[in-house]
Amino acid sequence: MIKWIKKMIGDKKDWRQMQSRAKALPTEYTYVFHKIQHYMWSFSSGHDSGMDMMPIFDDVLGLFEEGAAAGKRVLEVTGEDVAAFSDALLQNANTYTENSRNKLNSEIKDRVNKHN
């Protein structure tokens, strides 16, 4: 169980640092960041998702930090459809399942092609 949690959220220290970064943002950014986290967890917590959320959340924080520094409102960064913004990030994310699937297919193809 602990290994699975580490895969999902990384080290506790990293998680706390990320949350501190989020709290340092303007209020509207912090609110939207936490709503996005909640939304994404609902998709990544499935038993076979294998989603590594830390890099995704780190990317969102980076975008939010840049947007806040530029004086932009949070919806100027995400667009009005925050769910679509979140979905696009999830769609582009690598999953452990996808990596395992690709490795399996590659190893089989290599082995079978050698013997033909």
Side-chain angles (χ1 to χ4, degrees):
M1 181 71 161
I2 299 292
K3 288 180 184 179
W4 178 82
I5 291 171
K6 267 195 164 183
K7 282 183 182 179
M8 293 296 286
I9 65 170
D11 191 283
K12 279 185 185 181
K13 179 182 171 190
D14 295 339
W15 179 255
R16 285 189 199 117
Q17 288 174 341
M18 183 173 289
Q19 296 308 313
S20 293
R21 286 174 57 201
K23 286 180 185 175
L25 291 167
T27 305
E28 70 178 21
Y29 277 92
T30 302
Y31 174 76
V32 173
F33 179 72
H34 289 299
K35 295 300 279 186
I36 287 172
Q37 278 185 313
H38 180 74
Y39 178 80
M40 287 183 172
W41 281 127
S42 67
F43 291 103
S44 68
S45 61
H47 63 82
D48 193 31
S49 70
M51 186 76 65
D52 185 356
M53 298 305 293
M54 289 295 284
I56 298 169
F57 293 150
D58 189 57
D59 288 347
V60 172
L61 271 175
L63 288 171
F64 282 12
E65 288 165 340
E66 289 175 21
K72 293 181 178 180
R73 303 287 312 244
V74 70
L75 294 181
E76 290 179 82
V77 175
T78 62
E80 293 290 323
D81 190 343
V82 179
F85 170 83
S86 301
D87 291 344
L89 291 170
L90 287 171
Q91 185 175 12
N92 293 325
N94 262 342
T95 64
Y96 296 112
T97 304
E98 179 182 343
N99 292 339
S100 295
R101 188 177 297 134
N102 290 340
K103 182 179 177 186
L104 173 68
N105 288 331
S106 176
E107 288 175 356
I108 290 171
K109 194 184 316 180
D110 289 347
R111 176 76 183 249
V112 170
N113 287 336
K114 282 183 182 178
H115 294 288
N116 286 332

